[in-house]
Amino acid sequence: MTSTNFGQRFTAAAAKIPSAFGKNSTPGTTVYGRITKIGEQPKLKYGGAPGEVDTDDHGNVIQQLFITIETPNGPRNLYPTSRMEQAIGQAMNASGATSFDVGSTLSVTYTGPDPDNDKARLYTAVYTSAVGANGGGR
């Protein structure tokens, strides 16, 4: 019989930073704050078992970008989709920023479903470079 340390699983789940947007987020939901971390992590398999990671056709783990933002309600993770990345890119262009940096401020608003694809979401964003951020100049 194999022994499983469920305590580790529960404490790891409790320590996980919550996602900024969930499946029940309503249009108009905004997440804003200072960017504290940018990185990649294994993408979890949609509809898979808890902790099961997604792999490509060759068995390689698919990596997923995440952005941790310190919000008034604590840290939240953004997992940018292509439409969210587009909104962030437009916000960076509007601010004159040339790089995406920790310490900068980011606001992302879920504006509603994409009328051309009911499974996709549309976003708007505002990006403000950190003072003295490398490449974040105006």
Side-chain angles (χ1 to χ4, degrees), residues 11-101:
T11 55
K16 184 177 177 190
I17 296 174
S19 179
F21 296 103
K23 65 180 179 179
N24 295 324
S25 294
T26 57
T29 301
T30 299
V31 176
Y32 64 92
R34 190 176 61 81
I35 299 168
T36 59
K37 189 173 183 180
I38 305 164
E40 287 186 326
Q41 64 188 24
K43 183 178 180 182
L44 295 179
K45 186 172 185 178
Y46 183 77
E52 184 179 0
V53 296
D54 204 2
T55 57
D56 63 17
D57 294 338
H58 302 288
N60 301 316
V61 173
I62 297 172
Q63 294 294 311
Q64 170 179 316
L65 174 70
F66 71 91
I67 303 165
T68 303
I69 298 178
E70 186 59 46
T71 74
N73 297 321
R76 296 292 184 265
N77 274 346
L78 289 172
Y79 300 97
T81 62
S82 60
R83 286 169 178 80
M84 188 185 296
E85 286 181 4
Q86 184 178 25
I88 293 169
Q90 290 170 344
M92 288 177 64
N93 289 340
S95 75
T98 57
S99 66
F100 190 77
D101 301 304

